[in-house]
Amino acid sequence: MKTYICIVCGFVYDEAAGRPEDGIAAGTLWADVPASWACPDCGVAKSDFEVVEV
Amino acid sequence: MSQSLIIVGAGLAGWTTAREFRKLDTTTPVFLVTADSGDFYAKPSLSNAFAQGRLPAQLVSTPAAKMAETLNVTLLAHTRVEAIDTAARTLNVRSAAGLQSLAYRDLVLATGAQAIRVPVQGDAADAVMSINSLDDFAVFHARLQAGAQTPGRPQRQVLIMGAGLIGCEFANDLAQAGVRVRVVDPGLRPLAALLPPEASAALQKALEALGVQFDFDCTVRAVDHAAGRLQVTLATGETVPADAVLSAVGLRADTALAQAAGLLVDRAIVVNTYLQTSAAHIYALGDCAQYASAPSLLSMHGSTLPYVMPIMSAARALAATLAGSPTALVFSLMPVSVKTPALPLVVAAAQAGLAGCWAGAGEGIWHWLDDAGLPRGFVLAGAQTSQRMAQAKLLAP
């Protein structure tokens, strides 16, 4: 399980935790996050979401 | 006539405008002028970097040169704009290389905001810091590290002036990193401008459990040098040792350049729904802009929205306009996350100046009800922050 940071706003996506409030179950890999998902803090689309692993 | 797009400012607003513009137009020459290095970083991470052990250099997500290359932008770093000639459509810029004049087709002002400073007495008054950029953060970080490396030095201690969003986020981050934090504010509770009293109380309790000490109804009278550290004298007369004093009392739009150029300025640079200023071919967005697209009952010119999501929306609309498809900016509801892990908060503010009152709507949920009793804003605390989407649907249009 990896953790990613949105380079625009610093929002952290943790694969282990998922994002249940957006319908993304715990354990969902970044690659499996739907393309329609946008960063909840800055609204950047997933395709624009440049991530860095931490 | 020049065909260039010139952007002033390399913060999120400036770089995002360049990035969104390049998605639509790959040929128009783009210049980006910035007083700093132009390195791209997530500004919100400045207030949660300490607890994560991230160093200032690690916060740079993309170096300036890489940004410029990827986006095919001519970067003029460490360069200040001295004046804009709105009639001739030129600007004078100065760098170590001297003065030069640049002509623009369209000009975008993304000059951001400056930290407001309150006057403080004492021989170390100029040691009071504000963290409004990565450079500021690096200075602050170095000062705290220097304190940590002295043997026999007591626990590092930081005094924060201001219990607003930035003050509380830094208090949480520093306390979590083992720093002793004291927060001084002339008001009576944290985040008073954004939260109902019960939510403020819950936040205060959560931060106090981390060791943060609040002094409300209090101000800083003086900051002096004392034995290699700082000594802060509060209005009560109490003295507090500190390795650093942070001022987090708020931001004010940087409008100097716009004002000098004769643009209409209210609390910030006034822009219409197309983000155009009062001068043709000059646009503004970000923390320096006052948006007609964000109506306010307090000003006919709208509101400032110094948060990430409004900048992203504004940059997308502006890029389309600049690429030849005039696009009015329409803001959707943009809840703001407060990065206080001790008690996470999500705030969706009602329209500025709207009459109404807070009402509890369950554990950790508050609604701002207008005079007709309709919900116009909300605050979510703790586990309820996961309800932001569901709550947003409840708000009256």
Side-chain angles (χ1 to χ4, degrees), chain B residues 314-364:
Chain B
R316 277 187 213 111
L318 179 55
T321 297
L322 294 170
S325 311
T327 302
L329 171 62
V330 179
F331 285 121
S332 56
L333 180 77
M334 297 168 292
V336 173
S337 300
V338 183
K339 293 192 302 303
T340 43
L343 181 72
L345 293 161
V346 171
V347 179
Q351 185 180 1
L354 183 73
C357 64
W358 287 110
E363 179 73 31

Side-chain angles (χ1 to χ4, degrees), chain A residues 9 21 40-42 44 48, chain B residues 23 44 308-309 312 337 386 388:
Chain A
C9 72
E21 53 266 56
D41 279 6
C42 68
V44 163
D48 294 334
Chain B
K23 288 180 187 171
V308 166
M309 225 190 272
M312 303 304 292
S337 300
S386 66
R388 57 195 289 159

